[in-house]
């Protein structure tokens, strides 16, 4: 079976703290066919984040101008900051046969799904349980209790969009989750869509939002 030579688009979404950014970077670092779509954002850089590598950090005025120019594939307001994906770099990578990875939320994914003729495959990543999720957020945002509470309060809303995605994966072990995603991507590149146990996923979702 011939592998699709045209670059495809693979979206990784998850509630905050579940690990989509870590998984996206791991996929790109270990596989030369992947490139990460670097989003524009109006939020301030976190410690160790680098402009042009993690995000393009821009003023709200510049972001608004890009919206007016219809430069974005998708954009969304997340936790009072804007994030968006420029069209031109993605199309250029695809034309060179590169697969583009998107680290975006459900709002951006909904917008991408409305665009016709995109070779798009979407993943939603779940935490193994709420305790682990809170521990990850505490590690990332040490001492920022209000921010952690805000993100935890948004969890149920974000998880409610799981069934809008092609694949749902639980990030219990980072390496196993990575292997699962890479295996699904390899199959999708061959034109084979792996089926998932929807009942099992639904049970996990119910367990998480109790």
């Amino acid at each position: 079976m011939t592998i699709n030579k045209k670059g495809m688009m693979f979206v990784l979404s998850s509630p905050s703290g579940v690990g989509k950014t870590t998984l996206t970077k791991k996929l790109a670092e270990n596989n030369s066919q992947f490139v990460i779509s670097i989003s524009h954002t109006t939020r301030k850089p976190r410690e160790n984040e680098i402009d042009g590598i993690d995000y393009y950090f821009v003023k709200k005025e510049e972001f608004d101008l890009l919206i007016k120019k219809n430069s974005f594939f998708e954009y969304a307001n997340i936790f009072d900051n804007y994030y968006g994906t420029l069209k031109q770099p993605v199309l250029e990578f695809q034309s060179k046969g590169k697969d583009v990875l998107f680290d975006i939320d459900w709002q951006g994914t909904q917008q991408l799904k409305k665009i016709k003729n995109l070779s798009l495959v979407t993943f939603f990543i779940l935490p193994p349980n709420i305790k682990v999720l809170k521990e990850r957020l505490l590690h990332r945002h040490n001492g920022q209790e209000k921010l952690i509470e805000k993100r935890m309060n948004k969890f149920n809303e974000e998880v409610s969009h799981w069934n809008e995605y092609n694949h749902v994966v639980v990030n219990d072990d980072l390496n196993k989750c990575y292997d699962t995603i890479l295996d699904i991507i390899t199959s999708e590149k061959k034109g084979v869509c792996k089926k998932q146990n929807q009942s099992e996923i639904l049970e996990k979702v119910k367990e998480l939002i109790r």
Side-chain angles (χ1 to χ4, degrees):
M1 190 175 288
T2 304
I3 291 180
N4 186 353
K5 292 183 179 180
K6 182 186 176 184
M8 294 178 67
M9 299 163 70
F10 296 98
V11 169
L12 275 69
S13 298
S14 73
S16 181
V18 175
K20 68 181 182 302
T21 301
T22 302
L23 286 161
T24 303
K25 288 180 178 179
K26 188 174 175 67
L27 284 163
E29 287 168 2
N30 295 337
N31 304 276
S32 60
Q33 81 267 27
F34 295 133
V35 292
I36 296 173
S37 170
I38 302 172
S39 298
H40 282 58
T41 182
T42 59
R43 80 160 169 78
K44 292 181 180 179
R46 293 179 188 139
E47 188 178 351
N48 299 325
E49 285 185 330
I50 301 171
D51 183 53
I53 294 178
D54 296 288
Y55 289 94
Y56 293 108
F57 297 97
V58 298
K59 301 282 188 185
K60 180 65 164 54
E61 294 77 14
E62 185 177 343
F63 198 97
D64 287 340
L65 185 60
L66 290 168
I67 292 174
K68 288 177 182 176
K69 290 181 177 178
N70 195 30
S71 298
F72 290 121
F73 260 135
E74 59 80 28
Y75 66 91
N77 185 341
I78 306 167
F79 295 111
D80 303 321
N81 293 298
Y82 282 86
Y83 297 79
T85 303
L86 286 186
K87 296 176 184 176
Q88 186 179 351
V90 173
L91 294 173
E92 286 178 359
F93 282 131
Q94 284 188 290
S95 70
K96 295 173 183 176
K98 293 287 186 180
D99 296 319
V100 185
L101 300 170
F102 292 79
D103 170 3
I104 61 176
D105 85 329
W106 61 268
Q107 298 174 81
T109 305
Q110 284 184 345
Q111 292 173 53
L112 286 179
K113 286 173 68 178
K114 290 177 182 176
I115 302 171
K116 293 180 180 179
N117 302 318
L118 292 185
S119 298
L120 180 68
V121 179
T122 59
F123 293 85
F124 195 83
I125 304 162
L126 296 171
N129 54 62
I130 294 298
K131 184 181 176 212
V132 168
L133 176 64
K134 193 158 188 180
E135 286 171 356
R136 290 174 183 172
L137 288 172
L138 283 166
H139 179 72
R140 180 193 290 180
H141 305 292
N142 187 28
Q144 301 180 62
E145 284 78 12
K146 286 185 179 179
L147 177 60
I148 292 167
E149 184 181 357
K150 187 176 183 180
R151 298 196 173 214
M152 290 299 295
N153 288 340
K154 288 281 285 184
F155 178 81
N156 284 5
E157 179 192 347
E158 292 175 302
V159 171
S160 71
H161 295 276
W162 70 270
N163 59 352
E164 299 170 14
Y165 287 74
N166 299 120
H167 304 280
V168 179
V169 183
V170 177
N171 185 15
D172 192 356
D173 177 277
L174 181 68
N175 290 326
K176 286 182 180 178
C177 186
Y178 164 84
D179 288 341
T180 298
I181 292 170
L182 185 60
D183 183 54
I184 292 170
I185 287 175
T186 303
S187 294
E188 291 280 0
K189 289 286 289 179
K190 294 176 181 177
V192 178
C193 180
K194 291 197 168 188
K195 291 184 179 180
Q196 292 193 297
N197 188 326
Q198 294 296 103
S199 298
E200 193 176 282
I201 295 166
L202 183 57
E203 285 303 309
K204 169 56 74 173
V205 170
K206 287 179 179 177
E207 174 191 317
L208 289 169
I209 62 175
R210 281 176 184 169

